[in-house]
Amino acid sequence: MRRTTLTTGLALASVAALTATLATQPASASAPAVAAAPVAALAAPDISVTNVQAHLSQFQSIATSNGGNRRSGSAGYTASLNYVKGKLQAAGYTVTEQLCTTCTYPGNNLIAEWPGGPADQVVMFGAHLDGVSAGPGINDNGSGSSVLLENALVLAQQNPSMTKRVRFAWWNGEEQGLQGSRFYVNSLNTTQRGYIKGYYNFDMVASTNGGYFINRLTSATAAPLKAYWDSLGLQPEENVEGQGRSDDYYFQQAGIQTSGYATGASYTKTSAQAAKWGGTAGASYDPCYHRSCDTTSNINATGLNRSADGVAYAIWNLAVGTGTPTNDFSVAVSPTSGSVARGGSTTATVSTATTSGSAQTVALSASGAPSGVTVSFSPSSVTSGGSATMTVTASSTATTGTYTITVIGTGSVAHTATYTLTVTGTGGCSGGQVVGNSSFESGSAPWTASSGVITNDSGQAARTGTWKAWLDGYGSSHTDTLSQSLTIPAGCSTYTLSFWLHIDTAETTTTTAYDRLTVQLGSTTLATYSNLNAASGYTQRTFNAAAYAGQTVTLKFTGVEDASLQTSFVVDDVTLTAS
């Protein structure tokens, strides 16, 4: 949870007055919603708190291995996102990473959608994945992130028929001001926002001295959350502390109905609450809030379990049908692009998943290959849930160029995935340097850059020649980007990304990173530099890019500057050499 509120108050009355409620919800959050609890609770699965705690242990391990925290923009955040993403992809989710370019620490939101149910009827469940730099962030907010992850995995495992589409989200940049969720909401058009019939937020759901709080307690949107906790006799209260302080805020501002669970942060537990829920009156709900002691020892397993089961109840109440699901499946290819030289071959993995009903036989084929290129699959058919190896082979006379190959899975219906293939004219490692206009002496192409970034301005010297890329340096809140799509050849022994970086700053601190440059290759953040790395002259930075052999990926530099005291990030002589 973010430490300070965004506003002194929210227009909650106007939000509550909105009439667009979920079709499966009762008209009010009173007796009808509670009366429905026993029927739906029988259908909803019991979420294993042991499994949820296993995810928390993974987040703790990630923090321990990455400087003690999982703050946005850090290696700990990236590793956390990759952990969640890997679990979801293996379960058959459609997973998307969305780069929040306006976040203080540019990084990715993670969006996962279960493919069952109508696409224009969405219920969404979100939690922020980032923590603060002071500690590993296990209750805040590994708890909400883990509860949603295990619920997503159970939904995939049980694979029920769906009456609505279920979408999960893990947010970047919450601790810097709800930045990731705001970016996501702002990226939606009016139609897309209208598809979301409810957003449910879960921020700190296992506080050791906690209570049981629900956002917008008396709203129709909150009814399934309240019904479950009411069935346990918990007598939940309104989440006053969390108003305007977590990721539901910008959904509310966009007119989307919201609710969610919380167990409290720094506010003090009252005597009445201690009498009702246990714990210590006069002490904060979470004594380790935003501190180094927010570890796996800072978790109330009972609250964690009740939150996890309440989320399952809400999913089943809102989006799960009672009929037998139609048999269906999904198909995906990884990596999504590759390169092959004439006379050579390359491979990719085609994976399938059962998305509803029972598993079925899926026959694999491909279309769109250029002359002289063949695509084969081993095996040629799989049972949904299985995978096959796709081999792309180019003859010595294959037509060179870049092509889109459509991978087709045919069962009771047909589904497709796309693979971008580049055919080169030489055998083996084509080698060479793949960054165009690497020293910026030829203008801007093929770079894509913010205005003024590629420049021969004499205010900062180029390393070679007269042109360079100069990001930031304004001394005010500012974001600059510089990017280029790179096609990296396959079959080489070494792949080295290199660039020269000069950092000049007016900041005087020796401890605080106010201004930052993030370097990304594909979906991976390679490094983050700041005003603390300022030095005279240029320093060469090098990275191993072998993981991207045979792929087309984007190299991107993002500079973010705060409101005062300039920091200039000057980049020159960018190369990616394969040999």
Side-chain angles (χ1 to χ4, degrees), residues 112-135:
E113 191 154 307
W114 187 243
D120 61 351
Q121 298 286 317
V122 177
V123 284
M124 191 166 181
F125 298 79
H128 72 89
L129 187 57
D130 65 317
V132 295
S133 59

Side-chain angles (χ1 to χ4, degrees), residues 19-291:
T19 58
T21 59
L22 296 175
T24 54
Q25 292 178 330
S28 71
S30 56
V34 177
V39 175
L42 290 174
D46 178 26
I47 303 299
S48 166
V49 72
T50 301
N51 290 351
V52 178
Q53 289 171 313
H55 300 315
L56 291 174
S57 294
Q58 288 294 322
F59 289 139
Q60 176 72 64
S61 178
I62 287 168
T64 301
S65 300
N66 291 280
N69 68 78
R70 301 183 304 105
R71 191 214 68 198
S72 294
S74 70
Y77 179 81
T78 300
S80 298
L81 184 144
N82 288 337
Y83 171 72
V84 175
K85 180 181 178 182
K87 291 286 188 181
L88 294 167
Q89 286 182 320
Y93 277 83
T94 302
V95 183
T96 305
E97 292 187 55
Q98 179 194 47
L99 176 62
C100 176
T101 57
T102 59
C103 287
T104 301
Y105 306 107
N108 291 339
N109 295 323
L110 188 68
I111 312 298
E113 191 154 307
W114 187 243
D120 61 351
Q121 298 286 317
V122 177
V123 284
M124 191 166 181
F125 298 79
H128 72 89
L129 187 57
D130 65 317
V132 295
S133 59
I138 299 304
N139 186 39
D140 187 14
N141 186 36
S143 62
S145 294
S146 296
V147 160
L148 290 194
L149 176 57
E150 188 58 26
N151 264 278
L153 298 180
V154 170
L155 178 63
Q157 181 184 44
Q158 299 219 353
N159 191 27
S161 63
M162 306 299 295
T163 61
K164 287 185 172 61
R165 186 70 58 92
V166 176
R167 183 181 301 163
F168 295 94
W170 288 263
W171 304 117
N172 178 63
E174 192 269 357
E175 297 290 2
Q176 288 73 47
L178 321 183
Q179 294 174 342
S181 53
R182 180 180 188 179
F183 185 86
Y184 174 81
V185 171
N186 288 343
S187 74
L188 302 175
N189 59 37
T190 301
T191 300
Q192 291 168 331
R193 292 181 184 182
Y195 288 168
I196 303 174
K197 305 308 178 184
Y199 172 77
Y200 294 85
N201 196 65
F202 302 92
D203 190 352
M204 303 180 65
V205 295
S207 304
T208 53
N209 191 42
Y212 294 92
F213 304 103
I214 296 178
N215 305 340
R216 301 176 63 245
L217 177 68
T218 60
S219 68
T221 311
L225 299 182
K226 184 176 184 297
Y228 184 78
W229 275 1
D230 280 349
S231 73
L232 302 178
L234 296 177
Q235 303 174 59
E237 298 179 3
E238 176 65 46
N239 184 18
V240 175
E241 181 183 19
Q243 290 179 7
R245 292 179 59 183
S246 197
D247 292 300
D248 53 324
Y249 177 79
Y250 285 107
F251 286 86
Q252 290 180 14
Q253 298 304 292
I256 296 169
Q257 297 290 294
T258 64
S259 189
Y261 282 150
T263 57
S266 61
Y267 278 24
T268 300
K269 176 173 278 189
T270 67
S271 298
Q273 290 171 337
K276 180 167 58 172
W277 296 322
T280 305
S284 61
Y285 300 122
D286 181 357
C288 289
Y289 174 59
H290 283 189
R291 297 176 59 193

